[in-house]
Amino acid sequence: MKIERLNVGWFTAAAGIFRAGDDMDRTIRYPVLAYVIETETERILIDTGLNPAAIADPAAYYDRPDVFAVSTPEQEQSVADQLDVGTLTKVVLTHLHWDHVGGLRLIPASVSVVIQRAEWEAGHDDAAVQRNFFLPRDYAEDSREVILIDGDHDLLGDGSIELMLTPGHTPGHQSVRVGDLVLGIDVAHFASGLDDHRFPVFADDHEQQGRSAERLRAMRDAGFTVIPGHDPDILHPGVVTA
Ligand SMILES: [Zn+2]
């Protein structure tokens, strides 16, 4: 099983927005990432990064200028530029934020998506869309098969890849365990977040996010390698090992 990290772009924002208590007059440039898991029979994309057509003028494309008033995205090579997306067998969406689902329409419609039911339903509920800064243009008109799961899920039926329901950042956020490695994604943007719980100032439910961070911290302390969502100091592209 091989896991590769792709850097598909960046977003720049005041430090204090994505780490509570940090400076508001200093910015941080965060990597936007996607992962490819290859088994003997599967090629699974975890998150989809950004869509160049959107990032050219995101406030206009999404009609949500408030989101892009506090966060400036930059496009690197998209998933379609870095991969033969025609060979993918599945897409797993960890959650519906634009930096994770934005590239969905770059993937052939024959490739199905696996997502938590709680996340998908929130993404189609007006109040939850507003509260979570979801941008439905990326996913609401998509025609592909969507496989909805409820809670922890053995993705391939052989125990090799486990999707873990880790809510809080968004209503149905999920993490991905592959052997001894856990892609924690946005349970914590920074590795230190598992311990200090200095999360972004926005969340669907910070208390729930804290419990999800405790779950991943306990796994880390038991010997798993837990990878955060957007930590610029440690998340470089390339093959990922536990
Ligand atoms: Zn994110």
Side-chain angles (χ1 to χ4, degrees), residues 99-100 186 230:
D99 54 319
H100 298 262
D186 289 359
H230 294 282

Short mmCIF file of all heavy atoms in Angstrom, two decimals, residues 99-100 186 230, ligand 1:
data_model
loop_
_atom_site.label_atom_id
_atom_site.label_comp_id
_atom_site.label_asym_id
_atom_site.label_seq_id
_atom_site.Cartn_x
_atom_site.Cartn_y
_atom_site.Cartn_z
N ASP A 99 -11.60 23.75 0.25
CA ASP A 99 -10.22 23.35 -0.01
C ASP A 99 -10.08 21.83 -0.03
O ASP A 99 -8.98 21.31 -0.26
CB ASP A 99 -9.26 23.97 1.02
CG ASP A 99 -9.65 23.70 2.46
OD1 ASP A 99 -10.86 23.77 2.77
OD2 ASP A 99 -8.75 23.43 3.28
N HIS A 100 -11.17 21.11 0.18
CA HIS A 100 -11.15 19.64 0.13
C HIS A 100 -12.03 19.08 -0.99
O HIS A 100 -11.72 18.04 -1.55
CB HIS A 100 -11.59 19.07 1.49
CG HIS A 100 -10.66 19.48 2.59
ND1 HIS A 100 -9.65 18.67 3.06
CD2 HIS A 100 -10.53 20.67 3.27
CE1 HIS A 100 -8.96 19.32 3.99
NE2 HIS A 100 -9.47 20.54 4.14
N ASP A 186 -8.61 17.79 9.11
CA ASP A 186 -8.83 19.06 9.82
C ASP A 186 -9.41 18.89 11.23
O ASP A 186 -9.95 19.84 11.79
CB ASP A 186 -9.72 20.00 8.98
CG ASP A 186 -8.98 20.52 7.76
OD1 ASP A 186 -7.79 20.18 7.58
OD2 ASP A 186 -9.59 21.28 6.97
N HIS A 230 -3.21 21.03 7.86
CA HIS A 230 -2.63 22.14 7.08
C HIS A 230 -1.36 22.69 7.72
O HIS A 230 -1.08 23.87 7.59
CB HIS A 230 -3.66 23.27 6.95
CG HIS A 230 -4.87 22.94 6.15
ND1 HIS A 230 -4.89 22.91 4.77
CD2 HIS A 230 -6.14 22.60 6.53
CE1 HIS A 230 -6.10 22.59 4.34
NE2 HIS A 230 -6.88 22.39 5.39
ZN ZN B 1 -8.99 22.21 5.27
#
